[in-house]
Amino acid sequence: MNIAQIKRIAVVLIAALTLAAATAARASLLDKIQWKTEKHYGNATVQQIGQYYGYIEDAPLSDYVNRMGRSIASVGHRTDINYEFFIVDTDEVNAFAAPGGFVFITRGMLEEAESEDEIAGVIGHEVAHISAKHGAKRIKKLPFILIGMGILASNTDDRTTRIAEYALSLAQLHYSREDEYEADALGAAYSRDAGYDPRALASMFRKLEKENPSGNLSKLEVALSSHPKTTGRINSLSANPALAETPEERIYRAMGYAARHYYREASGEFRAALSLAPSDARALNGLASALTELGEFDEAERRYQDILANDPEDAAAAHGLERIEELRGSAAAARRSPGFASLPADERHSLSSALTSAADELDKAAGPAAYNFKALASRLDDMQEAFYRDLSSFRTTADKVRSNDRGRSAILEQASNFFGGYLAALDYYKQTGRRLLEAADEMKVNARIAAYKLSRAEESGANAAQAARELERAILRMASDSDFLLSRVVETAEIAQKGYETTSATMRELDFSLFASEEPIDNFTGSILFNRTVDQLDSLDKSFSSTEKISESIDRSVAGMRRASANLNAALMSETEKGLLLRQVERRFGMKAETMRSLLGKGFGAADAVLIHNMAASAAQDPVEFAYGFNPGKDLREDDFFSGETKASGNALLLKLLEDDIKAATGRFPSAHISPEPDPSPRSFLENESGDEALESAAASLEAGEPDKAVEAISERGKKLPATMASHALLAAAHKMRDDSDSAVVELKRALNKRSDIFELRLALGNAFADLERYDDALNEYGAASALASDRPESFSATGRAFAMKGELNSASENFKKALSLGDSRPETIVNLGLVYYREGKLADALAMFESALELDPTNESLAGMAAALKK
């Protein structure tokens, strides 16, 4: 990021520092806004976002997102415009639309998405904003938004225009609550009609809320935002016909999955449809076809035979049996091909042990790095708060500067530029540090999963051992570099802080000069202050550049790790699974299956082949010809692939999507969530207030699932008797049953004012906070509960869940284990610990937990599916 970009960021600060200009200047500002079409507004936003963030323009990625986006837009209500889709090169998890058919999805959003359907849901939502002309409506309101913000003209026309442009981008990016709900409904319908699973939009909402609570690209945008709560949007979506669980919708979704070669997901949807409509011919044939593509020939054959027994004329079933025989023959031939080899057991175990040791080494290094990052994040927050405390005095100084005082105006503009860049820098430093820790976590998990797979693999591709060694090197390199990289981020933050102190002193000197004399500042003094501020802006620019290099280094490390991981995972695939992968790569990235097979045949790994395809596309060459510059016979390194025209961040994203396809081809882990801690029994609140018939009646109503009756009983009681701890607690339980956790929190706090020593109250309040995703508040209450009864396992289990939801997996596992040690034998707690192990990549430990829970709950199909997935 250079000085020009910092100046663009500073526009909002210029506005803040010129907040007291005359009302007549407002009209001047508004007169300068000459936008006449949606396209013009959209083009302005494309330019602004491109200058600030930049775009990922690798052809395989850009073309993929545009194909998906246009397929979704083609089923929308506004097909008369040309849509364009951009991948914004930032870790921020976001997506937004601009009038004129422009949709932006960040690299962070694509990284966060766990499936193609989640990406489609987000794109559908943004296309819906354009289809419903929400952005166009915002444009009409722009003059009133500008007046409401108090952004006024200052000394230069150029500055005024830039303020207007910035305000315009803010106006475009946020919508009313009604607009958001409409876009949710339309977006779900669009993604459904384009062949994607619309249910994925709700899961993406949860990620967005967790990663980016304010939903913003800039701090000022919050002032213009009025988003509805995530829970409300998810509840609204659940009533959408596109998300119905009818046989018809299940079959439709299954056919969409099958058309995209996601046969495992398709088979799951066909099975669900058959559970509702056992004789549906489409579902019966669809399931048999999906099983055939997955190589599950025996079950597919049985199902086709059952179909033909009922309808001997069923042509689809007859053709399906012929295809099974054809595929059985090619699968047998593939097993005999030289591409498959058996790694000697001692080599497999040696490689597995080396990867486990590397993950442990990185775990040790990540501990101090995480501690140092918390200190850095706290320091950056303090620096930001200090700026906002000083801002009012800066504004006061700015108000005193006259328009004809060119010397002071020039100093003021440079200070404004610095302050704008400074705020952006603080966010960027924190983002880079967080990215480093996330990269280390991803590497640990991938290494442990790879070690588990190698320990169980019986067959592998020829380059599996080489890929495992490359993955080990990537992990160890991050272990040695992580603390050093974070220390460099700290150094850049120190540069920024010194620059802020100097620029703040300049503002004070400027204010003193105004106190001494209202006449224009003399040239000598003005030159000193101006040059001093420019020097700080230059230093800030250098700190940005330094941090960008750190970020690029992290991206490069992640790309290197993902390359090795994808090469290894692909090498462990069966020939059937590899065939599915090749179809996915062709569909998503435009790489022909025969090209991929050619490169694999030359000894390249699957990741190497995709990277060569990406580089060849950038150089406008044929991938096979381009590959002549590589020698797969030697030990290829990441330097061979991560150079030239492609960005490290783009390569990392490309490899992430490849890994997603490998997971889809080999079988994703079944969807599962950490189970919440159950609330205390309503009657537990009555132990100290027995004999109260009204409260006994309310508790009985709650146990019967009738919260309205409980509220009525408590209300009637309140007309005659004073409120008690139990009445507040039972009313809170009724609110929880009505999905109103905010009101439950209020009542539980009132109950605690009556009695603060009740374990169940603390646990219930913690659960209510957890429902609201206020996990720090929840942890405080669970801690208070544990202090009241340290031998009760419920508070430790609840604490484990809160830490798991925060992503603090070590603390989560420790608390789940503590709960189990105190006698918690509930399958839910055991499964929760297993899911934490799974997230950490400790698959053997996760499997042990799932099998233990199955002994207690042997009919749990979901649990059996998780155990079976890990055994496979």
Side-chain angles (χ1 to χ4, degrees):
M1 187 173 294
N2 55 37
I3 292 176
Q5 290 172 311
I6 293 174
K7 289 180 178 179
R8 277 188 290 275
I9 300 166
V11 169
V12 63
L13 270 299
I14 298 170
L17 295 178
T18 57
L19 213 58
T23 304
R26 296 188 181 187
S28 174
L29 175 71
L30 299 177
D31 288 341
K32 291 179 182 296
I33 302 176
Q34 299 297 324
W35 311 109
K36 295 182 179 179
T37 64
E38 287 185 56
K39 198 74 174 179
H40 196 74
Y41 281 97
N43 281 323
T45 304
V46 170
Q47 184 178 11
Q48 290 168 4
I49 299 300
Q51 289 172 337
Y52 186 8
Y53 291 102
Y55 297 114
I56 297 290
E57 297 178 309
D58 301 47
L61 292 168
S62 179
D63 291 350
Y64 165 61
V65 169
N66 272 276
R67 281 196 308 273
M68 176 190 285
R70 286 168 182 158
S71 73
I72 293 169
S74 70
V75 297
H77 290 91
R78 198 174 178 194
T79 58
D80 59 325
I81 60 175
N82 180 45
Y83 288 82
E84 294 183 58
F85 299 83
F86 299 86
I87 303 174
V88 184
D89 191 10
T90 173
D91 291 332
E92 295 178 36
V93 181
N94 216 325
F96 47 95
F102 300 100
V103 175
F104 305 84
I105 185 165
T106 65
R107 173 169 50 82
M109 175 71 80
L110 295 173
E111 288 269 3
E112 189 70 22
E114 295 180 15
S115 72
E116 187 176 54
D117 299 276
E118 289 185 345
I119 300 171
V122 171
I123 289 177
H125 175 90
E126 300 306 333
V127 167
H129 277 309
I130 297 171
S131 283
K133 299 186 178 181
H134 294 156
K137 288 189 289 184
R138 295 291 285 170
I139 291 169
K140 292 178 181 179
K141 297 177 182 178
L142 181 60
F144 304 101
I145 292 170
L146 291 175
I147 292 171
M149 290 171 64
I151 296 180
L152 309 175
S154 97
N155 304 351
T156 67
D157 290 345
D158 177 66
R159 182 187 302 174
T160 300
T161 302
R162 286 187 287 130
I163 293 170
E165 290 175 350
Y166 193 89
L168 171 64
S169 69
L170 299 182
Q172 290 171 181
L173 299 184
H174 286 293
Y175 308 96
S176 69
R177 294 170 187 270
E178 293 76 16
D179 287 347
E180 292 291 357
Y181 277 119
E182 183 179 19
D184 293 345
L186 291 175
Y190 294 168
S191 62
R192 181 260 185 205
D193 292 347
Y196 298 96
D197 190 339
R199 297 171 299 181
L201 181 58
S203 65
M204 204 65 215
F205 279 160
R206 295 187 182 96
K207 293 184 178 69
L208 279 170
E209 184 67 17
K210 180 181 177 182
E211 294 294 326
N212 202 5
S214 57
N216 63 321
L217 285 176
S218 125
K219 301 300 178 188
L220 184 58
E221 293 176 33
V222 178
L224 301 174
S225 173
S226 56
H227 284 286
K229 287 187 177 180
T230 301
T231 51
R233 298 174 72 176
I234 293 172
N235 291 337
S236 177
L237 270 176
S238 65
N240 191 306
L243 277 69
E245 301 297 355
T246 62
E248 192 66 34
E249 284 300 318
R250 288 281 197 177
I251 292 170
Y252 188 89
R253 285 196 286 266
M255 293 171 68
Y257 278 123
R260 293 180 284 129
H261 311 303
Y262 289 129
Y263 297 110
R264 296 186 193 283
E265 289 78 359
S267 66
E269 289 299 311
F270 281 130
R271 289 184 194 278
L274 287 170
S275 70
L276 300 170
S279 60
D280 191 294
R282 294 168 303 168
L284 289 167
N285 269 302
L287 176 57
S289 176
L291 292 170
T292 300
E293 299 304 326
L294 291 170
E296 298 177 20
F297 301 132
D298 291 343
E299 184 183 353
E301 188 173 48
R302 286 196 305 272
R303 289 191 173 273
Y304 278 135
Q305 289 170 345
D306 289 343
I307 294 169
L308 289 170
N310 291 321
D311 181 6
E313 302 300 320
D314 193 309
H319 176 72
L321 287 174
E322 293 175 3
R323 178 156 175 76
I324 288 174
E325 290 307 310
E326 175 189 338
L327 291 177
R328 271 181 170 150
S330 36
R335 306 290 283 186
R336 296 189 295 270
S337 70
F340 268 92
S342 295
L343 280 175
D346 57 346
E347 185 176 4
R348 281 193 290 111
H349 290 299
S350 175
L351 291 169
S352 176
S353 177
L355 285 170
T356 300
S357 297
D360 291 342
E361 192 71 24
L362 180 54
D363 206 9
K364 293 177 185 176
Y371 177 82
N372 291 336
F373 172 71
K374 285 184 178 179
L376 172 64
S378 177
R379 179 179 178 182
L380 293 171
D381 288 340
D382 290 343
M383 291 163 67
Q384 190 176 66
E385 289 175 10
F387 167 77
Y388 284 120
R389 284 196 302 270
D390 295 340
L391 183 57
S392 60
S393 66
F394 296 158
R395 286 174 173 168
T396 301
T397 300
D399 291 345
K400 299 174 185 177
V401 177
R402 295 180 178 179
S403 60
N404 64 347
D405 190 343
R406 294 187 177 181
R408 289 191 180 96
S409 293
I411 297 167
L412 180 63
E413 180 167 3
Q414 293 305 312
S416 299
N417 289 337
F418 175 87
F419 292 139
Y422 177 72
L423 278 183
L426 299 186
D427 281 340
Y428 191 39
Y429 302 150
K430 187 184 293 187
Q431 179 181 322
T432 302
R434 185 181 295 111
R435 170 71 169 143
L436 176 64
L437 296 184
E438 290 172 350
D441 283 341
E442 182 184 346
M443 290 185 178
K444 284 187 296 183
V445 170
N446 278 16
R448 286 168 176 157
I449 291 175
Y452 178 81
K453 287 184 175 182
L454 274 170
S455 69
R456 301 170 67 89
E458 295 180 359
E459 295 177 323
S460 67
N463 58 358
Q466 177 182 326
R469 287 190 288 269
E470 288 178 352
L471 181 57
E472 179 194 4
R473 284 197 295 268
I475 304 300
L476 291 175
R477 187 163 56 248
M478 175 58 80
S480 65
D481 291 351
S482 57
D483 205 43
F484 168 71
L485 290 172
L486 191 62
S487 69
R488 288 181 59 194
V489 179
V490 173
E491 290 173 6
T492 60
E494 290 172 349
I495 293 171
Q497 185 170 28
K498 290 177 181 176
Y500 176 72
E501 291 168 355
T502 301
T503 308
S504 298
T506 299
M507 289 296 294
R508 288 192 293 272
E509 291 184 50
L510 192 65
D511 188 66
F512 180 78
S513 73
L514 286 163
F515 176 77
S517 172
E518 293 185 359
E519 294 299 315
I521 195 168
D522 65 88
N523 290 337
F524 178 75
T525 304
S527 177
I528 291 175
L529 296 180
F530 179 86
N531 289 331
R532 183 196 299 170
T533 310
V534 169
D535 287 344
Q536 301 315 309
L537 197 53
D538 288 342
S539 295
L540 189 63
D541 181 35
K542 291 176 182 177
S543 79
F544 262 112
S545 297
S546 177
T547 309
E548 281 185 327
K549 290 178 181 178
I550 297 169
S551 183
E552 289 169 4
S553 177
I554 296 169
D555 287 334
R556 192 181 181 92
S557 295
V558 169
M561 177 274 298
R562 288 178 178 172
R563 169 185 166 259
S565 178
N567 278 338
L568 176 58
N569 287 326
L572 298 176
M573 297 172 78
S574 69
E575 191 64 20
T576 297
E577 292 166 343
K578 195 177 297 182
L580 294 176
L581 176 64
L582 265 57
R583 291 192 228 177
Q584 291 291 2
V585 170
E586 181 167 0
R587 183 183 65 82
R588 292 182 96 176
F589 307 135
M591 183 179 186
K592 293 181 179 179
E594 54 264 32
T595 300
M596 172 72 98
R597 287 195 183 277
S598 174
L599 293 175
L600 293 177
K602 295 179 184 297
F604 291 103
D608 294 347
V610 170
L611 290 169
I612 287 170
H613 170 66
N614 190 29
M615 289 186 287
S618 298
Q621 293 185 30
D622 176 76
V624 176
E625 293 179 3
F626 190 86
Y628 289 140
F630 298 86
N631 180 7
K634 73 181 183 70
D635 196 7
L636 291 171
R637 301 297 181 97
E638 62 185 51
D639 287 343
D640 296 314
F641 296 95
F642 304 146
S643 58
E645 298 297 321
T646 59
K647 288 184 178 181
S649 56
N651 283 323
L653 175 58
L654 184 66
L655 292 168
K656 184 267 181 187
L657 297 178
L658 175 64
E659 284 269 55
D660 286 347
D661 283 340
I662 291 173
K663 291 175 185 176
T666 56
R668 298 182 194 274
F669 187 73
S671 177
H673 302 285
I674 303 287
S675 299
E677 181 65 28
D679 283 321
S681 163
R683 292 195 181 277
S684 66
F685 300 121
L686 299 178
E687 293 180 2
N688 297 306
E689 298 182 27
S690 58
D692 191 316
E693 292 184 5
L695 296 183
E696 292 281 355
S697 174
S701 295
L702 290 171
E703 290 174 342
E706 299 174 332
D708 292 342
K709 285 187 177 180
V711 171
E712 183 180 351
I714 296 169
S715 299
E716 288 299 319
R717 178 191 180 280
K719 296 176 182 178
K720 305 172 185 177
L721 299 171
T724 64
M725 178 276 292
S727 68
H728 285 303
L730 292 174
L731 190 55
H735 287 312
K736 279 286 294 291
M737 202 169 287
R738 290 168 160 178
D739 293 324
D740 185 2
S741 294
D742 286 304
S743 297
V745 166
V746 172
E747 291 301 328
L748 287 166
K749 286 183 176 179
R750 289 171 178 167
L752 283 167
N753 286 336
K754 303 285 186 182
R755 289 287 301 273
S756 61
D757 60 340
I758 304 297
F759 175 88
E760 288 78 9
L761 281 181
R762 294 291 183 181
L763 184 65
L765 181 55
N767 288 350
F769 280 134
D771 288 343
L772 297 170
E773 299 181 359
R774 294 170 55 181
Y775 296 117
D776 288 333
D777 290 330
L779 287 170
N780 288 335
E781 295 305 322
Y782 296 146
S786 297
L788 291 170
S790 59
D791 59 341
R792 296 275 297 269
E794 301 99 304
S795 58
F796 291 101
S797 174
T799 299
R801 180 185 185 267
F803 275 123
M805 298 307 291
K806 289 185 66 178
E808 298 180 24
L809 300 183
N810 284 337
S811 297
S813 63
E814 289 301 315
N815 278 279
F816 283 133
K817 285 188 281 189
K818 177 69 174 178
L820 294 174
S821 72
L822 291 173
D824 188 344
S825 59
R826 294 173 296 174
E828 294 82 5
T829 304
I830 299 171
V831 171
N832 282 348
L833 178 56
L835 289 173
V836 169
Y837 283 144
Y838 176 79
R839 290 186 189 177
E840 291 179 309
K842 300 175 180 178
L843 302 193
D845 293 333
L847 178 59
M849 290 296 103
F850 297 150
E851 290 180 330
S852 177
L854 267 175
E855 293 177 4
L856 299 172
D857 187 7
T859 62
N860 190 320
E861 292 184 5
S862 174
L863 185 53
M866 290 189 285
L870 292 185
K871 288 178 182 178
K872 177 178 180 295

